[in-house]
Amino acid sequence: MEDWKQKVKDNAVDVGYLSDWYIHSVANDEWEESQVKELSNDFYCIPKEVIDGKGV
């Protein structure tokens, strides 16, 4: 059961990745750096390509 938790942690992106990917891709700078940091503190964010190969 604990194996899946380690896989999530190993594949989760950090706030730097989220900043580069999200802040620079939205129109009108909808999100601020503080919002991205809050998101990364509350959730593990894993790119779809890690799970199902999308975008590879």
Side-chain angles (χ1 to χ4, degrees):
M1 182 74 165
E2 294 298 313
D3 187 45
W4 69 269
K5 288 182 182 180
Q6 190 59 49
K7 286 181 181 180
V8 168
K9 290 179 181 180
D10 289 345
N11 289 290
V13 297
D14 63 9
V15 70
Y17 180 97
L18 289 175
S19 293
D20 289 344
W21 175 80
Y22 195 83
I23 290 176
H24 298 110
S25 67
V26 296
N28 303 325
D29 296 325
E30 295 170 9
W31 276 42
E32 299 292 328
E33 183 75 22
S34 62
Q35 292 169 305
V36 172
K37 285 181 182 177
E38 185 175 340
L39 174 70
S40 68
N41 285 335
D42 294 339
F43 298 95
Y44 288 108
C45 300
I46 303 171
K48 282 186 174 183
E49 63 190 38
V50 171
I51 304 301
D52 59 15
K54 289 186 184 239
V56 175

PDB file of all heavy atoms in Angstrom, residues 15-53:
ATOM      1  N   VAL A  15       7.281  23.478  -7.121  1.00  0.00           N
ATOM      2  CA  VAL A  15       6.715  24.795  -7.405  1.00  0.00           C
ATOM      3  C   VAL A  15       7.401  25.452  -8.606  1.00  0.00           C
ATOM      4  O   VAL A  15       6.769  26.166  -9.370  1.00  0.00           O
ATOM      5  CB  VAL A  15       6.747  25.696  -6.154  1.00  0.00           C
ATOM      6  CG1 VAL A  15       8.160  26.090  -5.801  1.00  0.00           C
ATOM      7  CG2 VAL A  15       5.872  26.916  -6.324  1.00  0.00           C
ATOM      8  N   GLY A  16       8.680  25.189  -8.812  1.00  0.00           N
ATOM      9  CA  GLY A  16       9.373  25.747  -9.969  1.00  0.00           C
ATOM     10  C   GLY A  16       8.805  25.240 -11.277  1.00  0.00           C
ATOM     11  O   GLY A  16       8.599  26.000 -12.226  1.00  0.00           O
ATOM     12  N   TYR A  17       8.520  23.949 -11.328  1.00  0.00           N
ATOM     13  CA  TYR A  17       7.911  23.354 -12.519  1.00  0.00           C
ATOM     14  C   TYR A  17       6.531  23.958 -12.760  1.00  0.00           C
ATOM     15  O   TYR A  17       6.192  24.335 -13.883  1.00  0.00           O
ATOM     16  CB  TYR A  17       7.812  21.842 -12.349  1.00  0.00           C
ATOM     17  CG  TYR A  17       7.195  21.122 -13.521  1.00  0.00           C
ATOM     18  CD1 TYR A  17       7.996  20.527 -14.483  1.00  0.00           C
ATOM     19  CD2 TYR A  17       5.811  21.029 -13.662  1.00  0.00           C
ATOM     20  CE1 TYR A  17       7.440  19.852 -15.557  1.00  0.00           C
ATOM     21  CE2 TYR A  17       5.250  20.364 -14.736  1.00  0.00           C
ATOM     22  CZ  TYR A  17       6.067  19.783 -15.669  1.00  0.00           C
ATOM     23  OH  TYR A  17       5.506  19.126 -16.733  1.00  0.00           O
ATOM     24  N   LEU A  18       5.737  24.041 -11.677  1.00  0.00           N
ATOM     25  CA  LEU A  18       4.397  24.612 -11.821  1.00  0.00           C
ATOM     26  C   LEU A  18       4.452  26.050 -12.294  1.00  0.00           C
ATOM     27  O   LEU A  18       3.659  26.471 -13.135  1.00  0.00           O
ATOM     28  CB  LEU A  18       3.627  24.530 -10.499  1.00  0.00           C
ATOM     29  CG  LEU A  18       3.185  23.150 -10.056  1.00  0.00           C
ATOM     30  CD1 LEU A  18       2.547  23.230  -8.671  1.00  0.00           C
ATOM     31  CD2 LEU A  18       2.224  22.543 -11.047  1.00  0.00           C
ATOM     32  N   SER A  19       5.373  26.819 -11.763  1.00  0.00           N
ATOM     33  CA  SER A  19       5.508  28.222 -12.174  1.00  0.00           C
ATOM     34  C   SER A  19       5.828  28.322 -13.660  1.00  0.00           C
ATOM     35  O   SER A  19       5.193  29.082 -14.387  1.00  0.00           O
ATOM     36  CB  SER A  19       6.602  28.909 -11.364  1.00  0.00           C
ATOM     37  OG  SER A  19       6.226  29.006 -10.020  1.00  0.00           O
ATOM     38  N   ASP A  20       6.828  27.564 -14.083  1.00  0.00           N
ATOM     39  CA  ASP A  20       7.208  27.608 -15.497  1.00  0.00           C
ATOM     40  C   ASP A  20       6.081  27.154 -16.395  1.00  0.00           C
ATOM     41  O   ASP A  20       5.806  27.769 -17.416  1.00  0.00           O
ATOM     42  CB  ASP A  20       8.438  26.727 -15.749  1.00  0.00           C
ATOM     43  CG  ASP A  20       9.695  27.312 -15.151  1.00  0.00           C
ATOM     44  OD1 ASP A  20       9.703  28.505 -14.803  1.00  0.00           O
ATOM     45  OD2 ASP A  20      10.670  26.560 -15.026  1.00  0.00           O
ATOM     46  N   TRP A  21       5.441  26.081 -16.032  1.00  0.00           N
ATOM     47  CA  TRP A  21       4.387  25.518 -16.883  1.00  0.00           C
ATOM     48  C   TRP A  21       3.114  26.348 -16.857  1.00  0.00           C
ATOM     49  O   TRP A  21       2.562  26.684 -17.897  1.00  0.00           O
ATOM     50  CB  TRP A  21       4.077  24.087 -16.452  1.00  0.00           C
ATOM     51  CG  TRP A  21       2.931  23.491 -17.196  1.00  0.00           C
ATOM     52  CD1 TRP A  21       2.965  22.953 -18.433  1.00  0.00           C
ATOM     53  CD2 TRP A  21       1.578  23.408 -16.749  1.00  0.00           C
ATOM     54  NE1 TRP A  21       1.715  22.528 -18.795  1.00  0.00           N
ATOM     55  CE2 TRP A  21       0.839  22.803 -17.774  1.00  0.00           C
ATOM     56  CE3 TRP A  21       0.922  23.796 -15.589  1.00  0.00           C
ATOM     57  CZ2 TRP A  21      -0.519  22.563 -17.666  1.00  0.00           C
ATOM     58  CZ3 TRP A  21      -0.432  23.560 -15.487  1.00  0.00           C
ATOM     59  CH2 TRP A  21      -1.131  22.952 -16.513  1.00  0.00           C
ATOM     60  N   TYR A  22       2.623  26.695 -15.686  1.00  0.00           N
ATOM     61  CA  TYR A  22       1.305  27.310 -15.605  1.00  0.00           C
ATOM     62  C   TYR A  22       1.318  28.824 -15.746  1.00  0.00           C
ATOM     63  O   TYR A  22       0.603  29.374 -16.566  1.00  0.00           O
ATOM     64  CB  TYR A  22       0.608  26.930 -14.300  1.00  0.00           C
ATOM     65  CG  TYR A  22      -0.869  27.247 -14.357  1.00  0.00           C
ATOM     66  CD1 TYR A  22      -1.748  26.356 -14.945  1.00  0.00           C
ATOM     67  CD2 TYR A  22      -1.368  28.446 -13.886  1.00  0.00           C
ATOM     68  CE1 TYR A  22      -3.090  26.653 -15.049  1.00  0.00           C
ATOM     69  CE2 TYR A  22      -2.711  28.747 -13.984  1.00  0.00           C
ATOM     70  CZ  TYR A  22      -3.567  27.850 -14.561  1.00  0.00           C
ATOM     71  OH  TYR A  22      -4.885  28.147 -14.677  1.00  0.00           O
ATOM     72  N   ILE A  23       2.113  29.497 -14.962  1.00  0.00           N
ATOM     73  CA  ILE A  23       2.111  30.961 -14.995  1.00  0.00           C
ATOM     74  C   ILE A  23       2.436  31.475 -16.392  1.00  0.00           C
ATOM     75  O   ILE A  23       1.819  32.409 -16.872  1.00  0.00           O
ATOM     76  CB  ILE A  23       3.074  31.551 -13.959  1.00  0.00           C
ATOM     77  CG1 ILE A  23       2.520  31.315 -12.548  1.00  0.00           C
ATOM     78  CG2 ILE A  23       3.289  33.040 -14.187  1.00  0.00           C
ATOM     79  CD1 ILE A  23       3.439  31.767 -11.433  1.00  0.00           C
ATOM     80  N   HIS A  24       3.382  30.850 -17.059  1.00  0.00           N
ATOM     81  CA  HIS A  24       3.784  31.324 -18.377  1.00  0.00           C
ATOM     82  C   HIS A  24       2.858  30.846 -19.493  1.00  0.00           C
ATOM     83  O   HIS A  24       2.993  31.288 -20.621  1.00  0.00           O
ATOM     84  CB  HIS A  24       5.228  30.920 -18.648  1.00  0.00           C
ATOM     85  CG  HIS A  24       6.175  31.545 -17.676  1.00  0.00           C
ATOM     86  ND1 HIS A  24       6.827  30.820 -16.711  1.00  0.00           N
ATOM     87  CD2 HIS A  24       6.538  32.836 -17.477  1.00  0.00           C
ATOM     88  CE1 HIS A  24       7.555  31.627 -15.984  1.00  0.00           C
ATOM     89  NE2 HIS A  24       7.400  32.863 -16.418  1.00  0.00           N
ATOM     90  N   SER A  25       1.911  29.984 -19.182  1.00  0.00           N
ATOM     91  CA  SER A  25       1.027  29.488 -20.235  1.00  0.00           C
ATOM     92  C   SER A  25      -0.366  30.099 -20.188  1.00  0.00           C
ATOM     93  O   SER A  25      -1.129  29.931 -21.124  1.00  0.00           O
ATOM     94  CB  SER A  25       0.916  27.962 -20.157  1.00  0.00           C
ATOM     95  OG  SER A  25       0.245  27.576 -18.980  1.00  0.00           O
ATOM     96  N   VAL A  26      -0.728  30.791 -19.113  1.00  0.00           N
ATOM     97  CA  VAL A  26      -2.063  31.371 -19.030  1.00  0.00           C
ATOM     98  C   VAL A  26      -2.075  32.788 -19.579  1.00  0.00           C
ATOM     99  O   VAL A  26      -1.079  33.499 -19.495  1.00  0.00           O
ATOM    100  CB  VAL A  26      -2.613  31.384 -17.576  1.00  0.00           C
ATOM    101  CG1 VAL A  26      -2.799  29.980 -17.058  1.00  0.00           C
ATOM    102  CG2 VAL A  26      -1.728  32.189 -16.668  1.00  0.00           C
ATOM    103  N   ALA A  27      -3.201  33.146 -20.146  1.00  0.00           N
ATOM    104  CA  ALA A  27      -3.372  34.502 -20.646  1.00  0.00           C
ATOM    105  C   ALA A  27      -3.669  35.443 -19.481  1.00  0.00           C
ATOM    106  O   ALA A  27      -4.301  35.051 -18.499  1.00  0.00           O
ATOM    107  CB  ALA A  27      -4.512  34.545 -21.660  1.00  0.00           C
ATOM    108  N   ASN A  28      -3.212  36.647 -19.567  1.00  0.00           N
ATOM    109  CA  ASN A  28      -3.499  37.699 -18.577  1.00  0.00           C
ATOM    110  C   ASN A  28      -2.936  37.394 -17.192  1.00  0.00           C
ATOM    111  O   ASN A  28      -3.410  37.948 -16.206  1.00  0.00           O
ATOM    112  CB  ASN A  28      -5.004  37.943 -18.468  1.00  0.00           C
ATOM    113  CG  ASN A  28      -5.616  38.322 -19.791  1.00  0.00           C
ATOM    114  OD1 ASN A  28      -4.984  39.011 -20.592  1.00  0.00           O
ATOM    115  ND2 ASN A  28      -6.822  37.872 -20.037  1.00  0.00           N
ATOM    116  N   ASP A  29      -1.943  36.534 -17.097  1.00  0.00           N
ATOM    117  CA  ASP A  29      -1.304  36.236 -15.804  1.00  0.00           C
ATOM    118  C   ASP A  29      -2.327  36.027 -14.694  1.00  0.00           C
ATOM    119  O   ASP A  29      -2.292  36.676 -13.652  1.00  0.00           O
ATOM    120  CB  ASP A  29      -0.332  37.348 -15.421  1.00  0.00           C
ATOM    121  CG  ASP A  29       0.823  37.446 -16.397  1.00  0.00           C
ATOM    122  OD1 ASP A  29       1.246  36.387 -16.899  1.00  0.00           O
ATOM    123  OD2 ASP A  29       1.279  38.558 -16.657  1.00  0.00           O
ATOM    124  N   GLU A  30      -3.232  35.089 -14.918  1.00  0.00           N
ATOM    125  CA  GLU A  30      -4.329  34.841 -13.979  1.00  0.00           C
ATOM    126  C   GLU A  30      -3.848  34.384 -12.602  1.00  0.00           C
ATOM    127  O   GLU A  30      -4.482  34.652 -11.609  1.00  0.00           O
ATOM    128  CB  GLU A  30      -5.261  33.785 -14.553  1.00  0.00           C
ATOM    129  CG  GLU A  30      -5.972  34.234 -15.815  1.00  0.00           C
ATOM    130  CD  GLU A  30      -6.694  33.098 -16.500  1.00  0.00           C
ATOM    131  OE1 GLU A  30      -6.790  32.000 -15.928  1.00  0.00           O
ATOM    132  OE2 GLU A  30      -7.165  33.311 -17.620  1.00  0.00           O
ATOM    133  N   TRP A  31      -2.755  33.676 -12.556  1.00  0.00           N
ATOM    134  CA  TRP A  31      -2.261  33.147 -11.286  1.00  0.00           C
ATOM    135  C   TRP A  31      -1.002  33.868 -10.874  1.00  0.00           C
ATOM    136  O   TRP A  31      -0.156  34.202 -11.692  1.00  0.00           O
ATOM    137  CB  TRP A  31      -1.972  31.661 -11.408  1.00  0.00           C
ATOM    138  CG  TRP A  31      -3.184  30.812 -11.211  1.00  0.00           C
ATOM    139  CD1 TRP A  31      -4.436  31.054 -11.700  1.00  0.00           C
ATOM    140  CD2 TRP A  31      -3.268  29.608 -10.490  1.00  0.00           C
ATOM    141  NE1 TRP A  31      -5.275  30.061 -11.329  1.00  0.00           N
ATOM    142  CE2 TRP A  31      -4.587  29.152 -10.582  1.00  0.00           C
ATOM    143  CE3 TRP A  31      -2.346  28.857  -9.786  1.00  0.00           C
ATOM    144  CZ2 TRP A  31      -5.009  27.985  -9.981  1.00  0.00           C
ATOM    145  CZ3 TRP A  31      -2.760  27.680  -9.193  1.00  0.00           C
ATOM    146  CH2 TRP A  31      -4.091  27.265  -9.286  1.00  0.00           C
ATOM    147  N   GLU A  32      -0.870  34.071  -9.596  1.00  0.00           N
ATOM    148  CA  GLU A  32       0.321  34.670  -9.030  1.00  0.00           C
ATOM    149  C   GLU A  32       1.210  33.570  -8.454  1.00  0.00           C
ATOM    150  O   GLU A  32       0.764  32.467  -8.185  1.00  0.00           O
ATOM    151  CB  GLU A  32      -0.065  35.644  -7.908  1.00  0.00           C
ATOM    152  CG  GLU A  32      -0.927  36.799  -8.366  1.00  0.00           C
ATOM    153  CD  GLU A  32      -0.187  37.767  -9.278  1.00  0.00           C
ATOM    154  OE1 GLU A  32       1.033  37.938  -9.101  1.00  0.00           O
ATOM    155  OE2 GLU A  32      -0.829  38.319 -10.177  1.00  0.00           O
ATOM    156  N   GLU A  33       2.462  33.897  -8.228  1.00  0.00           N
ATOM    157  CA  GLU A  33       3.410  32.947  -7.659  1.00  0.00           C
ATOM    158  C   GLU A  33       2.908  32.381  -6.332  1.00  0.00           C
ATOM    159  O   GLU A  33       3.035  31.191  -6.059  1.00  0.00           O
ATOM    160  CB  GLU A  33       4.765  33.621  -7.457  1.00  0.00           C
ATOM    161  CG  GLU A  33       5.840  32.705  -6.936  1.00  0.00           C
ATOM    162  CD  GLU A  33       6.375  31.754  -7.980  1.00  0.00           C
ATOM    163  OE1 GLU A  33       6.238  32.041  -9.182  1.00  0.00           O
ATOM    164  OE2 GLU A  33       6.921  30.725  -7.581  1.00  0.00           O
ATOM    165  N   SER A  34       2.292  33.206  -5.505  1.00  0.00           N
ATOM    166  CA  SER A  34       1.814  32.735  -4.196  1.00  0.00           C
ATOM    167  C   SER A  34       0.727  31.681  -4.345  1.00  0.00           C
ATOM    168  O   SER A  34       0.646  30.750  -3.534  1.00  0.00           O
ATOM    169  CB  SER A  34       1.296  33.902  -3.364  1.00  0.00           C
ATOM    170  OG  SER A  34       0.197  34.536  -3.994  1.00  0.00           O
ATOM    171  N   GLN A  35      -0.098  31.788  -5.362  1.00  0.00           N
ATOM    172  CA  GLN A  35      -1.145  30.795  -5.587  1.00  0.00           C
ATOM    173  C   GLN A  35      -0.547  29.460  -6.030  1.00  0.00           C
ATOM    174  O   GLN A  35      -1.024  28.401  -5.623  1.00  0.00           O
ATOM    175  CB  GLN A  35      -2.144  31.314  -6.621  1.00  0.00           C
ATOM    176  CG  GLN A  35      -2.959  32.492  -6.108  1.00  0.00           C
ATOM    177  CD  GLN A  35      -3.732  33.160  -7.204  1.00  0.00           C
ATOM    178  OE1 GLN A  35      -3.168  33.564  -8.214  1.00  0.00           O
ATOM    179  NE2 GLN A  35      -5.033  33.282  -7.011  1.00  0.00           N
ATOM    180  N   VAL A  36       0.481  29.511  -6.846  1.00  0.00           N
ATOM    181  CA  VAL A  36       1.140  28.288  -7.279  1.00  0.00           C
ATOM    182  C   VAL A  36       1.814  27.623  -6.086  1.00  0.00           C
ATOM    183  O   VAL A  36       1.746  26.399  -5.923  1.00  0.00           O
ATOM    184  CB  VAL A  36       2.155  28.578  -8.406  1.00  0.00           C
ATOM    185  CG1 VAL A  36       2.985  27.346  -8.710  1.00  0.00           C
ATOM    186  CG2 VAL A  36       1.440  29.054  -9.651  1.00  0.00           C
ATOM    187  N   LYS A  37       2.452  28.402  -5.226  1.00  0.00           N
ATOM    188  CA  LYS A  37       3.087  27.839  -4.029  1.00  0.00           C
ATOM    189  C   LYS A  37       2.052  27.190  -3.127  1.00  0.00           C
ATOM    190  O   LYS A  37       2.282  26.117  -2.573  1.00  0.00           O
ATOM    191  CB  LYS A  37       3.845  28.924  -3.272  1.00  0.00           C
ATOM    192  CG  LYS A  37       5.132  29.317  -3.934  1.00  0.00           C
ATOM    193  CD  LYS A  37       5.856  30.376  -3.134  1.00  0.00           C
ATOM    194  CE  LYS A  37       7.122  30.792  -3.848  1.00  0.00           C
ATOM    195  NZ  LYS A  37       7.814  31.868  -3.148  1.00  0.00           N
ATOM    196  N   GLU A  38       0.906  27.842  -2.961  1.00  0.00           N
ATOM    197  CA  GLU A  38      -0.158  27.269  -2.127  1.00  0.00           C
ATOM    198  C   GLU A  38      -0.654  25.952  -2.717  1.00  0.00           C
ATOM    199  O   GLU A  38      -0.856  24.976  -1.995  1.00  0.00           O
ATOM    200  CB  GLU A  38      -1.315  28.262  -1.994  1.00  0.00           C
ATOM    201  CG  GLU A  38      -2.400  27.789  -1.061  1.00  0.00           C
ATOM    202  CD  GLU A  38      -3.486  28.833  -0.846  1.00  0.00           C
ATOM    203  OE1 GLU A  38      -3.252  30.025  -1.091  1.00  0.00           O
ATOM    204  OE2 GLU A  38      -4.581  28.427  -0.436  1.00  0.00           O
ATOM    205  N   LEU A  39      -0.825  25.919  -4.021  1.00  0.00           N
ATOM    206  CA  LEU A  39      -1.247  24.691  -4.693  1.00  0.00           C
ATOM    207  C   LEU A  39      -0.248  23.566  -4.445  1.00  0.00           C
ATOM    208  O   LEU A  39      -0.627  22.452  -4.090  1.00  0.00           O
ATOM    209  CB  LEU A  39      -1.386  24.936  -6.202  1.00  0.00           C
ATOM    210  CG  LEU A  39      -1.691  23.724  -7.063  1.00  0.00           C
ATOM    211  CD1 LEU A  39      -3.107  23.231  -6.808  1.00  0.00           C
ATOM    212  CD2 LEU A  39      -1.511  24.062  -8.528  1.00  0.00           C
ATOM    213  N   SER A  40       1.044  23.876  -4.592  1.00  0.00           N
ATOM    214  CA  SER A  40       2.048  22.830  -4.415  1.00  0.00           C
ATOM    215  C   SER A  40       2.182  22.410  -2.956  1.00  0.00           C
ATOM    216  O   SER A  40       2.636  21.300  -2.681  1.00  0.00           O
ATOM    217  CB  SER A  40       3.400  23.281  -4.969  1.00  0.00           C
ATOM    218  OG  SER A  40       3.928  24.328  -4.196  1.00  0.00           O
ATOM    219  N   ASN A  41       1.791  23.255  -2.028  1.00  0.00           N
ATOM    220  CA  ASN A  41       1.811  22.866  -0.614  1.00  0.00           C
ATOM    221  C   ASN A  41       0.637  21.952  -0.256  1.00  0.00           C
ATOM    222  O   ASN A  41       0.738  21.159   0.673  1.00  0.00           O
ATOM    223  CB  ASN A  41       1.763  24.099   0.289  1.00  0.00           C
ATOM    224  CG  ASN A  41       3.075  24.834   0.333  1.00  0.00           C
ATOM    225  OD1 ASN A  41       4.131  24.266   0.107  1.00  0.00           O
ATOM    226  ND2 ASN A  41       3.010  26.122   0.608  1.00  0.00           N
ATOM    227  N   ASP A  42      -0.463  22.078  -0.973  1.00  0.00           N
ATOM    228  CA  ASP A  42      -1.678  21.337  -0.648  1.00  0.00           C
ATOM    229  C   ASP A  42      -1.871  20.064  -1.464  1.00  0.00           C
ATOM    230  O   ASP A  42      -2.623  19.186  -1.060  1.00  0.00           O
ATOM    231  CB  ASP A  42      -2.908  22.224  -0.846  1.00  0.00           C
ATOM    232  CG  ASP A  42      -2.962  23.385   0.127  1.00  0.00           C
ATOM    233  OD1 ASP A  42      -2.310  23.303   1.188  1.00  0.00           O
ATOM    234  OD2 ASP A  42      -3.641  24.375  -0.170  1.00  0.00           O
ATOM    235  N   PHE A  43      -1.233  19.976  -2.640  1.00  0.00           N
ATOM    236  CA  PHE A  43      -1.468  18.855  -3.543  1.00  0.00           C
ATOM    237  C   PHE A  43      -0.168  18.336  -4.124  1.00  0.00           C
ATOM    238  O   PHE A  43       0.793  19.089  -4.298  1.00  0.00           O
ATOM    239  CB  PHE A  43      -2.359  19.273  -4.723  1.00  0.00           C
ATOM    240  CG  PHE A  43      -3.724  19.717  -4.319  1.00  0.00           C
ATOM    241  CD1 PHE A  43      -4.005  21.050  -4.120  1.00  0.00           C
ATOM    242  CD2 PHE A  43      -4.735  18.785  -4.129  1.00  0.00           C
ATOM    243  CE1 PHE A  43      -5.269  21.458  -3.730  1.00  0.00           C
ATOM    244  CE2 PHE A  43      -6.001  19.191  -3.745  1.00  0.00           C
ATOM    245  CZ  PHE A  43      -6.267  20.534  -3.549  1.00  0.00           C
ATOM    246  N   TYR A  44      -0.149  17.049  -4.462  1.00  0.00           N
ATOM    247  CA  TYR A  44       0.907  16.487  -5.288  1.00  0.00           C
ATOM    248  C   TYR A  44       0.434  16.645  -6.722  1.00  0.00           C
ATOM    249  O   TYR A  44      -0.658  16.206  -7.078  1.00  0.00           O
ATOM    250  CB  TYR A  44       1.131  15.005  -4.994  1.00  0.00           C
ATOM    251  CG  TYR A  44       1.791  14.755  -3.669  1.00  0.00           C
ATOM    252  CD1 TYR A  44       1.085  14.220  -2.613  1.00  0.00           C
ATOM    253  CD2 TYR A  44       3.141  15.057  -3.478  1.00  0.00           C
ATOM    254  CE1 TYR A  44       1.698  13.986  -1.398  1.00  0.00           C
ATOM    255  CE2 TYR A  44       3.753  14.826  -2.261  1.00  0.00           C
ATOM    256  CZ  TYR A  44       3.035  14.291  -1.222  1.00  0.00           C
ATOM    257  OH  TYR A  44       3.634  14.066  -0.021  1.00  0.00           O
ATOM    258  N   CYS A  45       1.227  17.268  -7.555  1.00  0.00           N
ATOM    259  CA  CYS A  45       0.865  17.492  -8.951  1.00  0.00           C
ATOM    260  C   CYS A  45       1.773  16.646  -9.824  1.00  0.00           C
ATOM    261  O   CYS A  45       2.991  16.786  -9.789  1.00  0.00           O
ATOM    262  CB  CYS A  45       1.011  18.959  -9.303  1.00  0.00           C
ATOM    263  SG  CYS A  45      -0.036  20.033  -8.306  1.00  0.00           S
ATOM    264  N   ILE A  46       1.164  15.767 -10.587  1.00  0.00           N
ATOM    265  CA  ILE A  46       1.908  14.836 -11.433  1.00  0.00           C
ATOM    266  C   ILE A  46       1.473  15.042 -12.881  1.00  0.00           C
ATOM    267  O   ILE A  46       0.291  14.989 -13.195  1.00  0.00           O
ATOM    268  CB  ILE A  46       1.638  13.379 -11.007  1.00  0.00           C
ATOM    269  CG1 ILE A  46       1.996  13.184  -9.555  1.00  0.00           C
ATOM    270  CG2 ILE A  46       2.409  12.418 -11.910  1.00  0.00           C
ATOM    271  CD1 ILE A  46       1.568  11.852  -8.998  1.00  0.00           C
ATOM    272  N   PRO A  47       2.419  15.272 -13.786  1.00  0.00           N
ATOM    273  CA  PRO A  47       2.056  15.433 -15.204  1.00  0.00           C
ATOM    274  C   PRO A  47       1.403  14.164 -15.746  1.00  0.00           C
ATOM    275  O   PRO A  47       1.797  13.051 -15.380  1.00  0.00           O
ATOM    276  CB  PRO A  47       3.401  15.678 -15.887  1.00  0.00           C
ATOM    277  CG  PRO A  47       4.317  16.149 -14.801  1.00  0.00           C
ATOM    278  CD  PRO A  47       3.840  15.474 -13.554  1.00  0.00           C
ATOM    279  N   LYS A  48       0.412  14.335 -16.612  1.00  0.00           N
ATOM    280  CA  LYS A  48      -0.274  13.195 -17.211  1.00  0.00           C
ATOM    281  C   LYS A  48       0.689  12.266 -17.934  1.00  0.00           C
ATOM    282  O   LYS A  48       0.498  11.054 -17.955  1.00  0.00           O
ATOM    283  CB  LYS A  48      -1.350  13.663 -18.192  1.00  0.00           C
ATOM    284  CG  LYS A  48      -2.607  14.143 -17.529  1.00  0.00           C
ATOM    285  CD  LYS A  48      -3.651  14.439 -18.575  1.00  0.00           C
ATOM    286  CE  LYS A  48      -4.973  14.780 -17.915  1.00  0.00           C
ATOM    287  NZ  LYS A  48      -6.012  14.989 -18.916  1.00  0.00           N
ATOM    288  N   GLU A  49       1.735  12.813 -18.519  1.00  0.00           N
ATOM    289  CA  GLU A  49       2.669  11.969 -19.268  1.00  0.00           C
ATOM    290  C   GLU A  49       3.333  10.930 -18.378  1.00  0.00           C
ATOM    291  O   GLU A  49       3.682   9.852 -18.840  1.00  0.00           O
ATOM    292  CB  GLU A  49       3.734  12.820 -19.968  1.00  0.00           C
ATOM    293  CG  GLU A  49       4.619  13.590 -19.027  1.00  0.00           C
ATOM    294  CD  GLU A  49       5.486  14.605 -19.743  1.00  0.00           C
ATOM    295  OE1 GLU A  49       5.021  15.226 -20.699  1.00  0.00           O
ATOM    296  OE2 GLU A  49       6.608  14.775 -19.310  1.00  0.00           O
ATOM    297  N   VAL A  50       3.457  11.211 -17.091  1.00  0.00           N
ATOM    298  CA  VAL A  50       4.033  10.230 -16.174  1.00  0.00           C
ATOM    299  C   VAL A  50       3.080   9.055 -15.973  1.00  0.00           C
ATOM    300  O   VAL A  50       3.495   7.908 -15.911  1.00  0.00           O
ATOM    301  CB  VAL A  50       4.348  10.888 -14.803  1.00  0.00           C
ATOM    302  CG1 VAL A  50       4.732   9.843 -13.757  1.00  0.00           C
ATOM    303  CG2 VAL A  50       5.425  11.926 -14.945  1.00  0.00           C
ATOM    304  N   ILE A  51       1.798   9.336 -15.924  1.00  0.00           N
ATOM    305  CA  ILE A  51       0.792   8.306 -15.642  1.00  0.00           C
ATOM    306  C   ILE A  51       0.381   7.550 -16.889  1.00  0.00           C
ATOM    307  O   ILE A  51       0.348   6.326 -16.901  1.00  0.00           O
ATOM    308  CB  ILE A  51      -0.453   8.928 -14.968  1.00  0.00           C
ATOM    309  CG1 ILE A  51      -0.056   9.687 -13.694  1.00  0.00           C
ATOM    310  CG2 ILE A  51      -1.510   7.864 -14.694  1.00  0.00           C
ATOM    311  CD1 ILE A  51       0.640   8.865 -12.649  1.00  0.00           C
ATOM    312  N   ASP A  52       0.026   8.276 -17.946  1.00  0.00           N
ATOM    313  CA  ASP A  52      -0.545   7.597 -19.108  1.00  0.00           C
ATOM    314  C   ASP A  52       0.160   7.882 -20.439  1.00  0.00           C
ATOM    315  O   ASP A  52      -0.356   7.547 -21.489  1.00  0.00           O
ATOM    316  CB  ASP A  52      -2.028   7.920 -19.229  1.00  0.00           C
ATOM    317  CG  ASP A  52      -2.321   9.392 -19.363  1.00  0.00           C
ATOM    318  OD1 ASP A  52      -1.391  10.172 -19.640  1.00  0.00           O
ATOM    319  OD2 ASP A  52      -3.487   9.772 -19.198  1.00  0.00           O
ATOM    320  N   GLY A  53       1.300   8.504 -20.378  1.00  0.00           N
ATOM    321  CA  GLY A  53       2.075   8.729 -21.592  1.00  0.00           C
ATOM    322  C   GLY A  53       1.607   9.878 -22.460  1.00  0.00           C
ATOM    323  O   GLY A  53       2.146  10.093 -23.534  1.00  0.00           O
TER     324      GLY A  53
END
